[in-house]
């Protein structure tokens, strides 16, 4: 693995859309008891369910801290690869590399952004985060992929979505937050995104899901189904604070053009009813200085938009809510060529997220490699 001094755009690389072919998927095993209730055991079972669901469509690799290796290997099926790797928590989409591809050669490289736990010492969610910041480099090394490292530009994978054809969607709430890159202007941040994602246009939404502790990651409110077509988290309840946020996003998206000059088709993806932390769930989490507490009655950032598009399937978070069936029906309509699979995600949501994985991607015409992140707001 080499650390490159140029940029993906200069070298002719681009970030593919999540709907393009994957060589595989990477995840991280949950364990910290100040984030996951009851010793993280319920969350571990949920992550096993996610890994099994994705494995039906593509290879899955689970990264596990040393002291959890034997437990994870026992709980996971044999067809999931388990790799020992030090991490601070379980949010692979945010800490793993952004894979970029060269369409001419099929070569894949990784972009290794700086990570500071969603806001560093200003409004980050835990400290320290140094092990998480090394994950992208380690994955690139294991996969034998050269990387671009940005020591002074903070970005999480869940804060961006691309269509693979030059368009990026993100939120001002996140990328312009004081805990990310406060010394850079909006224009400078946009130029960095274009340069390292091989993109031509950035569409800026104002805000993400209401009370999303990641400062409004775009992956929990909007995603590309395919170029020119997106889903948007939605509610018709005008008394819900989410209504104004989603309405604002809808107006932006329906009046925008993508990098190819197309008007976007926007599908409304109805949210579940507000999900609140119960007393039992709150009491199951250890209280530790420097970590965001889980308080009874707090509203969770539940959404179906943070789903995972696998090679032949779509894996969607479920919440035992009437909107679950609506989401499954919509995705079956939007992805007729893929199998739609629901995975119960409340335990993952309680940790601050939805389906979190990264994919290592490659064009369909080229032989395979890999990526992953799944379930929730982070």
């Amino acid at each position: 693995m080499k650390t490159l001094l140029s940029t993906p755009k200069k070298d002719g690389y681009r970030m593919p859309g999540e709907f393009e072919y994957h060589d595989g998927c990477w995840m991280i095993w949950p364990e910290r008891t100040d984030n996951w209730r009851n010793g993280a055991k319920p969350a571990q079972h949920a992550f096993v369910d996610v890994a099994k669901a994705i494995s039906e469509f593509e290879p899955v690799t689970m990264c596990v801290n040393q002291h959890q290796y034997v437990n994870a290997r026992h709980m996971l099926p044999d067809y999931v690869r388990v790799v020992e790797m030090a991490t601070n928590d379980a949010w692979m989409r945010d800490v793993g590399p952004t894979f970029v591809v060269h369409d001419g050669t099929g070569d894949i490289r990784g972009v290794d952004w700086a990570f500071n736990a969603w806001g560093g010492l200003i409004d980050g969610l835990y400290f320290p985060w140094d092990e998480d910041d090394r994950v992208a480099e380690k994955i690139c090394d294991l996969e034998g992929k050269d990387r671009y490292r940005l020591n002074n530009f903070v970005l999480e994978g869940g804060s961006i979505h691309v269509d693979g054809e030059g368009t990026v969607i993100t939120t001002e709430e996140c990328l312009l937050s004081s805990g990310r890159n406060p010394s850079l202007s909006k224009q400078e941040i946009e130029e960095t995104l274009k340069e390292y994602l091989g993109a031509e246009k950035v569409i800026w939404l104002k805000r993400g899901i209401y009370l999303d502790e990641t400062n409004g990651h775009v992956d929990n409110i909007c995603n590309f189904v395919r170029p020119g077509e997106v889903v948007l988290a939605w509610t018709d309840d005008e008394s819900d604070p989410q209504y104004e946020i989603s309405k604002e996003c809808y107006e932006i998206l329906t009046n925008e053009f993508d990098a190819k000059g197309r008007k976007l088709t926007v599908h409304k993806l109805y949210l579940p009813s507000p999900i609140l932390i119960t007393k039992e769930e709150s009491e199951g989490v250890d209280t530790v200085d420097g970590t965001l507490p889980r308080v009874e009655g707090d509203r969770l950032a539940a959404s179906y938009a943070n789903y995972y598009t696998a090679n032949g399937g779509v894996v969607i978070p479920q919440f035992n809510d009437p909107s679950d069936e609506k989401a499954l029906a919509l995705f079956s309509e939007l992805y007729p060529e893929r199998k739609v699979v629901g995975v119960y995600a409340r335990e993952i949501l309680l940790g601050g997220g939805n389906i979190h994985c990264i994919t290592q991607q490659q064009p369909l015409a080229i032989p395979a490699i890999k990526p992953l992140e799944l379930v929730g707001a982070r």
Side-chain angles (χ1 to χ4, degrees):
M1 180 197 70
K2 294 183 293 187
T3 299
L4 306 164
L5 300 179
S6 55
T7 71
K9 193 169 190 178
K10 287 185 175 68
D11 295 340
Y13 288 72
R14 67 175 178 92
M15 181 183 177
E18 189 176 285
F19 45 80
E20 297 186 54
Y21 176 75
H22 308 165
D23 286 330
C25 177
W26 286 78
M27 299 177 69
I28 300 176
W29 188 250
E31 65 167 83
R32 58 185 301 159
T33 58
D34 58 345
N35 192 43
W36 305 100
R37 74 187 186 103
N38 297 350
K41 193 56 64 180
Q44 290 171 1
H45 285 289
F47 272 58
V48 169
D49 290 342
V50 170
K52 287 179 178 179
I54 297 174
S55 292
E56 181 179 347
F57 309 105
E58 59 195 57
V60 173
T61 298
M62 186 72 72
C63 296
V64 183
N65 276 301
Q66 181 273 331
H67 53 276
Q68 276 285 319
Y69 180 87
V70 173
N71 176 49
R73 182 65 282 173
H74 173 74
M75 292 181 65
L76 289 160
D78 291 343
Y79 50 79
V80 173
R81 181 173 67 161
V82 179
V83 174
E84 187 177 306
M85 185 180 296
T87 64
N88 298 113
D89 205 355
W91 307 110
M92 180 60 90
R93 181 177 293 172
D94 290 345
V95 304
T98 296
F99 285 107
V100 292
V101 63
H102 191 287
D103 288 324
T105 65
D107 184 49
I108 293 173
R109 294 173 176 176
V111 180
D112 180 2
W113 316 91
F115 177 77
N116 70 355
W118 307 276
L121 298 179
I122 295 176
D123 59 353
L125 300 182
Y126 52 73
F127 179 88
W129 53 78
D130 56 320
E131 298 292 1
D132 279 348
D133 192 38
R134 297 189 187 103
V135 167
E137 178 182 7
K138 292 177 180 179
I139 290 177
C140 288
D141 200 14
L142 285 170
E143 292 291 352
K145 304 302 172 189
D146 294 337
R147 67 161 185 158
Y148 303 90
R149 168 63 179 178
L150 293 86
N151 288 313
N152 299 310
F153 189 87
V154 174
L155 186 129
E156 307 91 43
S159 68
I160 53 171
H161 265 314
V162 302
D163 68 352
E165 295 187 358
T167 309
V168 183
I169 295 182
T170 189
T171 68
E172 294 182 3
E173 179 184 1
C174 180
L175 292 199
L176 302 188
S177 68
S178 57
R180 298 312 198 282
N181 301 289
S183 64
L184 300 180
S185 67
K186 180 179 178 180
Q187 184 61 37
E188 289 171 325
I189 291 171
E190 181 169 318
E191 290 306 313
T192 301
L193 294 180
K194 291 178 180 178
E195 201 64 36
Y196 283 87
L197 301 176
E200 301 298 330
K201 177 159 187 178
V202 178
I203 296 175
W204 291 88
L205 303 180
K206 297 295 184 183
R207 294 171 287 175
I209 289 291
Y210 178 62
L211 297 181
D212 185 343
E213 61 189 34
T214 65
N215 303 109
H217 270 188
V218 75
D219 72 347
N220 209 29
I221 194 167
C222 183
N223 192 7
F224 282 104
V225 176
R226 56 186 59 87
E229 194 169 347
V230 300
V231 290
L232 174 68
W234 187 263
T235 178
D236 289 330
D237 183 359
E238 297 186 16
S239 67
D240 189 327
Q242 183 60 45
Y243 177 80
E244 287 299 325
I245 297 172
S246 293
K247 182 171 178 286
E248 181 179 60
C249 290
Y250 186 82
E251 291 171 352
I252 292 170
L253 291 167
T254 54
N255 285 285
E256 270 285 8
F257 295 87
D258 66 15
K260 298 294 186 183
R262 294 172 293 221
K263 289 280 287 185
L264 294 174
T265 299
V266 183
H267 301 279
K268 294 177 179 178
L269 178 58
Y270 281 84
L271 293 161
S273 302
I275 297 175
L276 309 181
I277 298 176
T278 67
K279 184 174 187 290
E280 179 185 5
E281 290 166 343
S282 172
E283 291 177 345
V285 179
D286 292 347
T287 300
V288 176
D289 286 341
T291 301
L292 190 72
R294 301 285 178 237
V295 179
E296 178 187 1
D298 280 357
R299 175 169 168 171
L300 297 166
S303 168
Y304 303 104
N306 203 334
Y307 61 97
Y308 184 78
T309 312
N311 285 337
V314 182
V315 182
I316 305 170
Q318 301 280 273
F319 307 103
N320 284 348
D321 185 272
S323 291
D324 288 359
E325 291 302 318
K326 294 180 184 178
L328 291 171
L330 177 61
F331 282 112
S332 294
E333 177 184 331
L334 296 178
Y335 294 95
E337 74 288 359
R338 301 177 195 252
K339 180 180 178 181
V340 177
V341 179
V343 177
Y344 185 60
R346 185 181 179 101
E347 291 298 337
I348 304 174
L349 185 64
L350 285 167
N354 267 294
I355 297 175
H356 253 244
C357 329
I358 63 160
T359 54
Q360 184 172 329
Q361 294 162 301
Q362 211 166 295
L364 283 169
I366 312 264
I369 317 177
K370 43 177 155 202
L372 170 87
E373 169 186 285
L374 181 66
V375 194
R378 285 187 181 166

